[in-house]
Amino acid sequence: MRRQGYDIDNPRGGGKSKLADDAGVHRAAVSRLLQRQSMPDLETMRRLAAVLGIPLREMLIRSGRLSEEDLPIAVRQQTDPAGPGAGEDSPRLGPEEAARRMGVPPELREIFVKVAKQFLPASS
């Protein structure tokens, strides 16, 4: 936020208010995020990430709520490293397969998939 010119350290909140206005979100959401009191909803995080010029994934990681392990970019092939395609990224793991591999109970998989799809880029 500071690198983008938002003075978030000012006790008067000018930078926080400007960021909130630029993103079209409530100032309280920015304040709560900075104070780590609560995690804004996904749409608020998307708007803030867009204004700050960073990917949503990075925004979620920088917020401290998720780690890089929680949001992997791609899954490496699990085959023999000397085999064909060694060292290349395999296709992205889909939400359905991720739920299965993580042991999400079958009765919760549908909701898991819906939420996970919100974090994925739109198909081209």
Side-chain angles (χ1 to χ4, degrees):
M1 294 176 190
R2 290 179 191 98
R3 278 186 275 176
Q4 294 297 329
Y6 294 101
D7 181 11
I8 59 172
D9 301 308
N10 186 331
R12 295 182 138 182
K16 295 174 207 162
S17 294
K18 172 96 170 89
L19 175 59
D21 289 345
D22 290 351
V25 302
H26 198 277
R27 182 183 179 275
V30 174
S31 293
R32 285 191 301 266
L33 175 64
L34 289 169
Q35 295 169 1
R36 296 183 187 246
Q37 291 178 341
S38 68
M39 182 73 147
D41 62 64
L42 183 57
E43 183 57 28
T44 299
M45 292 295 280
R46 282 182 193 200
R47 289 176 180 214
L48 291 169
V51 166
L52 295 172
I54 62 172
L56 178 60
R57 177 182 183 276
E58 188 174 339
M59 180 81 171
L60 292 168
I61 292 169
R62 284 186 183 190
S63 73
R65 292 298 180 119
L66 296 169
S67 69
E68 290 188 39
E69 292 77 30
D70 294 326
L71 296 172
I73 292 176
V75 177
R76 297 254 179 218
Q77 289 188 334
Q78 302 293 322
T79 58
D80 179 5
E88 296 176 11
D89 286 343
S90 63
R92 289 181 185 246
L93 186 65
E96 296 85 359
E97 179 63 14
R100 187 187 66 73
R101 289 187 186 187
M102 291 189 315
V104 174
E107 64 273 12
L108 298 176
R109 285 185 187 165
E110 183 179 341
I111 190 73
F112 175 91
V113 169
K114 285 181 183 178
V115 171
K117 284 184 177 179
Q118 294 180 33
F119 293 96
L120 298 174
S123 299
S124 47

